[in-house]
Amino acid sequence: MNKFFARRIDASVVVALVALLLAAAANARFWSAFIGAAGGLSHASLPLLAGTFLIVVLFFNACLTAASFRYVAKPVLIALLLGAAVASHFIATYGIVIDKAMIQNVFETDTREAFELLDWRLAVRVAVLGVLPSLWVARARIRFAHGVRGLLRQAGIAGGSLALAALLLMCLFKNLAPALHEHRELRFLLVPTNVIQAVHGYLHGRWARPVVVAPLGRDAVKGVAWAGQTRKTLTVIVVGETARAASFSLNGYPRQTNPRLARVDGLVNFSNVSSCGTATAVSVPCVFSNLGRDGYSQSRASSQEGLLDVLAHAGLNVIWRDNNSGCKGVCDRVAYQDVSRPTPHDSRCRGDECYDERLLDGLPGLMRAGARDTVLVLHQKGSHGPAYASRYPQGFGRFGPVCDGGRFEKCSRASIQAAYDNTILYTDYVLGSAIERLRELAREQDVDTALLYFSDHGESLGENNVYLHGAPYMLAPGEQTRVPMMLWMSDGFSARFGIDRTCLNARRGQALSHDNVFHSVLGMLDIRTAVLNPRLDLFHACIRTPTHD
């Protein structure tokens, strides 16, 4: 035994062994859940399972190699081994996941409750998976890299591990993406990354200063277009979900995915629009802020008011109606309506979710006698994947055969694309129906109406073997960042606010982005405020003298 520990062992070997141990022994619950998410253990799934295991090992190896310096490596490795052993016990024994809330429970549990969780099984697991490997690491005579050559070798190992992991990820992406996307809970099971993320989130939340929301646009007032008006206005902003511009026939897509919108008189389709992000959690708060993509951060957006607040300051009635996963903080200070929860005997719902038609419920009733000028935001479920076939009613399955469900590995790329195209066809129906109802409101209730639609981000459908969305923006393909945007206005609305439709049509191919939305909505509604930037207001050059009653 002493001879064994007397041998010098290279740091890269120690790190590789610890990475392998963490990926395998400490993650039995993760692999069990992942096998279920991947469709079970079979000959067909073995390449996916083996490849994913190698990705995890390589990723762990790269991270640990970056910390394999003298005086640092041993404490880090020992802490990870012991922490992983404890975490894996509670995950396996109690079926919990490790997230920020669980870490908060750990820190805030009293001594009596903590002792109730200690038993012989915990001792055995920690001894086998934590203490014994830690003793080996502690006693091992590790040969660390030194000098420039050693550092370059260490960097090469870390970089090579990441590169190989990335290559495997690209090869397996079609099969791996749906499992990870539909089973987000997996990230709370992967030890020790779940523990590190949870502890960081808990400490950040505990030590961070309370968020104080700074006012924005408190000087906002209605401009001259509102003076002396007796007609009410209803402006509908539809926030699409995962709709990519490339799949809209209005933008030249060969499949007829927009038959209803193609027949709408006066529709202005903006065909060259970029998103702020590649995921809802970024794009939605960004598009409703005045920060722009270059200036956006979650902390900055959450610490100041946004577009909906400015509209409310100007005296408009603002409502957020949601059929998705919430407004990501942008509607915290305005009225909120959730239509995503199924109700008994509603044919517009299936399982635990509802179709986007529900967003249009009660639209005419909003402007009954006594109603204020209103801005209504509709947040769609849209084309959220990977279960595209669940996003639309049966009657909209025009294109096929479709990938029925979210298991991409069982589907051809053509069937995935067909299911996605059907979601765009259904969005076409929802938007067309909304415009028809707004047209009726304008005609029957003397209300000036308008609809602005844009999607939060796009979607990859197998181009270069990339699927879904959420890629880093710098690396994201155009399918994830190019989004549809369109505008419809009643005759009374365009006349009232002096908007020249011919001018707007001439700008429909101009390069635009989510950066324009904040300022363009204010400009379209003639809201006067110092936070409006005319250079980003796409209506600014198209405003003529408005008409008044």
Side-chain angles (χ1 to χ4, degrees), residues 250-313:
L250 290 176
N251 295 323
Y253 186 54
R255 274 181 172 164
Q256 189 55 260
T257 53
N258 304 129
R260 188 162 183 172
L261 290 173
R263 300 192 300 268
V264 173
D265 292 334
L267 184 74
V268 182
N269 178 59
F270 300 99
S271 59
N272 188 13
V273 183
S274 299
S275 66
C276 186
T278 62
T280 305
V282 173
S283 282
V284 168
C286 180
V287 73
F288 283 94
S289 77
N290 68 333
L291 299 172
R293 190 176 74 82
D294 291 338
Y296 172 81
S297 70
Q298 182 181 1
S299 59
R300 291 188 67 189
S302 62
S303 61
Q304 71 167 35
E305 295 178 337
L307 173 62
L308 303 188
D309 299 286
V310 179
L311 295 172
H313 297 330

Side-chain angles (χ1 to χ4, degrees), residues 172-249:
L172 298 172
F173 197 83
K174 177 182 178 181
N175 298 338
L176 189 59
L180 297 181
H181 199 269
E182 282 290 278
H183 298 272
R184 300 289 182 93
E185 71 277 5
L186 288 172
R187 66 190 178 97
F188 298 122
L189 296 174
L190 184 61
V191 179
T193 58
N194 56 353
V195 178
I196 295 171
Q197 291 177 340
V199 170
H200 174 267
Y202 170 74
L203 294 178
H204 181 269
R206 188 175 181 86
W207 293 339
R209 295 179 179 178
V211 175
V212 177
V213 179
L216 183 74
R218 295 290 177 93
D219 62 334
V221 294
K222 297 176 179 177
V224 65
W226 298 86
Q229 289 286 350
T230 58
R231 293 168 62 92
K232 298 296 182 182
T233 65
L234 173 60
T235 306
V236 176
I237 301 174
V238 183
V239 182
E241 171 64 56
T242 320
R244 66 184 206 167
S247 295
F248 275 59
S249 55

Side-chain angles (χ1 to χ4, degrees), residues 165-492:
L167 180 62
L168 283 170
L169 183 62
M170 291 178 62
C171 294
L172 298 172
F173 197 83
K174 177 182 178 181
N175 298 338
L176 189 59
L180 297 181
H181 199 269
E182 282 290 278
H183 298 272
R184 300 289 182 93
E185 71 277 5
L186 288 172
R187 66 190 178 97
F188 298 122
L189 296 174
L190 184 61
V191 179
T193 58
N194 56 353
V195 178
I196 295 171
Q197 291 177 340
V199 170
H200 174 267
Y202 170 74
L203 294 178
H204 181 269
R206 188 175 181 86
W207 293 339
R209 295 179 179 178
V211 175
V212 177
V213 179
L216 183 74
R218 295 290 177 93
D219 62 334
V221 294
K222 297 176 179 177
V224 65
W226 298 86
Q229 289 286 350
T230 58
R231 293 168 62 92
K232 298 296 182 182
T233 65
L234 173 60
T235 306
V236 176
I237 301 174
V238 183
V239 182
E241 171 64 56
T242 320
R244 66 184 206 167
S247 295
F248 275 59
S249 55
L250 290 176
N251 295 323
Y253 186 54
R255 274 181 172 164
Q256 189 55 260
T257 53
N258 304 129
R260 188 162 183 172
L261 290 173
R263 300 192 300 268
V264 173
D265 292 334
L267 184 74
V268 182
N269 178 59
F270 300 99
S271 59
N272 188 13
V273 183
S274 299
S275 66
C276 186
T278 62
T280 305
V282 173
S283 282
V284 168
C286 180
V287 73
F288 283 94
S289 77
N290 68 333
L291 299 172
R293 190 176 74 82
D294 291 338
Y296 172 81
S297 70
Q298 182 181 1
S299 59
R300 291 188 67 189
S302 62
S303 61
Q304 71 167 35
E305 295 178 337
L307 173 62
L308 303 188
D309 299 286
V310 179
L311 295 172
H313 297 330
L316 296 175
N317 178 37
V318 182
I319 303 170
W320 182 286
R321 185 177 289 179
D322 203 278
N323 190 36
N324 201 312
S325 56
C327 67
K328 313 307 177 188
V330 304
C331 66
D332 286 354
R333 294 163 294 279
V334 301
Y336 180 83
Q337 300 173 354
D338 185 359
V339 301
S340 66
R341 300 176 184 274
T343 54
H345 313 300
D346 191 334
S347 61
R348 297 166 304 172
C349 300
R350 183 173 70 174
D352 59 352
E353 65 179 65
C354 297
Y355 301 123
D356 283 333
E357 291 170 71
R358 290 186 107 204
L359 291 167
L360 307 182
D361 284 357
L363 202 57
L366 280 175
M367 304 310 295
R368 288 176 182 153
R372 295 160 53 199
D373 299 297
T374 297
V375 174
L376 173 65
V377 184
L378 306 179
H379 189 195
Q380 288 186 285
K381 190 77 171 180
S383 304
H384 196 281
Y388 304 123
S390 299
R391 305 287 96 88
Y392 55 87
Q394 186 175 1
F396 289 86
R398 174 181 299 183
F399 310 110
V402 301
C403 180
D404 190 8
R407 301 288 302 283
F408 284 0
E409 72 276 9
K410 294 186 176 181
C411 300
S412 66
R413 184 185 167 196
S415 67
I416 295 169
Q417 191 156 4
Y420 181 86
D421 288 346
N422 288 332
T423 69
I424 302 300
L425 181 68
Y426 181 56
T427 288
D428 171 81
Y429 169 78
V430 172
L431 294 178
S433 299
I435 291 172
E436 185 57 37
R437 297 190 191 190
L438 292 176
R439 196 191 301 275
E440 292 176 4
L441 268 173
R443 182 173 59 248
E444 298 174 4
Q445 296 190 31
D446 292 330
V447 178
D448 295 327
T449 58
L451 181 143
L452 174 66
Y453 166 82
F454 54 84
S455 182
D456 57 353
H457 54 78
E459 185 87 328
S460 290
L461 296 174
E463 297 85 4
N464 299 315
N465 202 38
V466 177
Y467 290 84
L468 302 175
H469 56 267
Y473 203 93
M474 291 181 61
L475 304 176
E479 291 82 10
Q480 295 188 31
T481 60
R482 292 286 297 279
V483 293
M485 186 167 81
M486 59 194 71
L487 171 73
W488 176 87
M489 299 173 290
S490 67
D491 292 337

Side-chain angles (χ1 to χ4, degrees), residues 113-194:
E113 292 174 337
F115 273 108
E116 291 176 355
L117 298 173
L118 304 181
D119 60 18
W120 65 270
R121 292 172 298 177
L122 172 62
V124 170
R125 186 180 292 267
V126 171
V128 174
L129 297 182
V131 175
L132 291 179
S134 295
L135 287 174
W136 175 74
V137 170
R139 298 189 60 185
R141 298 184 62 199
I142 301 176
R143 184 170 56 250
F144 292 98
H146 62 277
V148 175
R149 185 175 180 180
L151 290 176
L152 290 175
R153 177 174 174 271
Q154 191 170 334
I157 293 173
S161 297
L162 285 178
L164 186 55
L167 180 62
L168 283 170
L169 183 62
M170 291 178 62
C171 294
L172 298 172
F173 197 83
K174 177 182 178 181
N175 298 338
L176 189 59
L180 297 181
H181 199 269
E182 282 290 278
H183 298 272
R184 300 289 182 93
E185 71 277 5
L186 288 172
R187 66 190 178 97
F188 298 122
L189 296 174
L190 184 61
V191 179
T193 58
N194 56 353

